Amino acid sequence: MMSLSVDIKDISGKSAGKFSLPAEIFDVQVNVPLIHQVVTAQLAAARQGSHKAKNRGEVSGGGKKPFKQKGTGRARQGSTRSPNQRHGGVAHGPVPRSYDQRTPKKMIKAALAGVLSDRQRHDRIHIVDGITKAENTKGTLAAVKQFTDRKRALVVLSRTEESAWLKLRNVDGLHLIASDQLNAYDVVVADDVVFSHDAIKEFVAGPTKGNTVTAVARESEVGVSA
């Protein structure tokens, strides 16, 4: 398959060459239902699931009848803890549970490739070189913002680029992520994806065991079980 070329710019905005993106990741057919399923599973897995309501056996109060069985003209009641009594327990209330959904690795890989391909077709994949060379936060932010003025940007960095992490971590409108944690959800919610030169090389190369898309090997870190 053919490769796609993306311009690389340095922190001053000057051209620093081109980078060839593999078509099997950045030029595939977009499967919207698949992406929806994977993103939904990821968001579900991120839910804490600690909600809890007390049932009639857990609320405080005795087992005494609220009033006598006969002679009142009212419906008979057996306990003050019944769900139809004030301060009674909750019938069929929420209980702690896991929201994890089984999502095969091939689906995670295909969804990530699909959203990256969509961003690439709309010229929203960018690469900046030498991001750690900026002297301060203002310069680092300018290196990222040179590509777009849209509100939400996903910045993909290498784990070794510590200075860039420190300078950009609290900037509004930027979401930072390591190249080995890239996932479909973060790409979907971002207007533009800005890779550092080191990060795009790591992502395309994949993990040491040989998978093409690094995120597949890191699905546990983004909350999606295999």
Side-chain angles (χ1 to χ4, degrees):
M1 299 178 69
M2 62 177 296
S3 296
L4 309 172
S5 293
V6 175
D7 291 331
I8 304 173
K9 293 186 178 181
D10 61 18
I11 58 175
S12 63
K14 296 180 180 179
S15 177
K18 291 183 177 293
F19 189 89
S20 295
L21 299 175
E24 61 268 21
I25 301 176
F26 292 90
D27 191 24
V28 301
Q29 184 176 359
V30 178
N31 187 335
V32 175
L34 171 64
I35 295 171
H36 178 271
Q37 183 175 346
V38 171
V39 170
T40 300
Q42 183 177 338
L43 293 177
R47 296 184 64 176
Q48 190 171 6
S50 59
H51 39 40
K52 178 70 172 71
K54 292 183 179 180
N55 58 36
R56 63 182 296 164
E58 296 170 326
V59 296
S60 61
K64 181 181 177 181
K65 289 171 65 66
F67 45 83
K68 63 181 182 178
Q69 180 84 347
K70 296 180 179 294
T72 65
R74 300 176 62 186
R76 56 191 176 188
Q77 300 293 326
S79 172
T80 57
R81 297 182 295 180
S82 176
N84 63 350
Q85 293 292 316
R86 185 167 180 262
H87 302 309
V90 176
H92 310 295
V95 294
R97 54 163 290 191
S98 171
Y99 286 91
D100 290 351
Q101 301 178 19
R102 181 183 179 277
T103 311
K105 292 181 179 180
K106 287 184 178 180
M107 291 177 59
I108 300 172
K109 174 181 175 180
L112 178 56
V115 294
L116 287 174
S117 297
D118 177 75
R119 291 295 180 266
Q120 167 58 24
R121 292 189 184 104
H122 292 85
D123 297 323
R124 296 192 179 187
I125 298 289
H126 316 286
I127 302 175
V128 59
D129 187 31
I131 194 170
T132 58
K133 297 180 181 178
E135 296 181 356
N136 50 36
T137 298
K138 183 177 180 180
T140 308
L141 181 59
V144 173
K145 289 292 188 178
Q146 66 176 307
F147 299 104
T148 177
D149 57 356
R150 299 183 183 94
K151 292 184 178 180
R152 296 169 301 205
L154 176 65
V155 182
V156 188
L157 299 172
S158 170
R159 292 182 181 271
T160 60
E161 296 172 317
E162 296 181 3
S163 63
W165 285 96
L166 294 174
K167 293 170 184 174
L168 299 177
R169 60 184 176 178
N170 293 325
V171 177
D172 291 337
L174 292 187
H175 178 61
L176 274 59
I177 194 170
S179 59
D180 58 356
Q181 289 186 318
L182 192 59
N183 58 87
Y185 171 74
D186 285 326
V187 178
V188 165
V189 299
D191 295 320
D192 291 84
V193 183
V194 181
F195 287 88
S196 72
H197 195 192
D198 290 344
I200 189 66
K201 288 189 292 184
E202 291 177 356
F203 176 72
V204 170
T208 54
K209 66 179 183 179
N211 285 351
T212 302
V213 179
T214 307
V216 174
R218 304 290 182 179
E219 71 282 346
S220 60
E221 295 183 29
V222 299
V224 181
S225 59

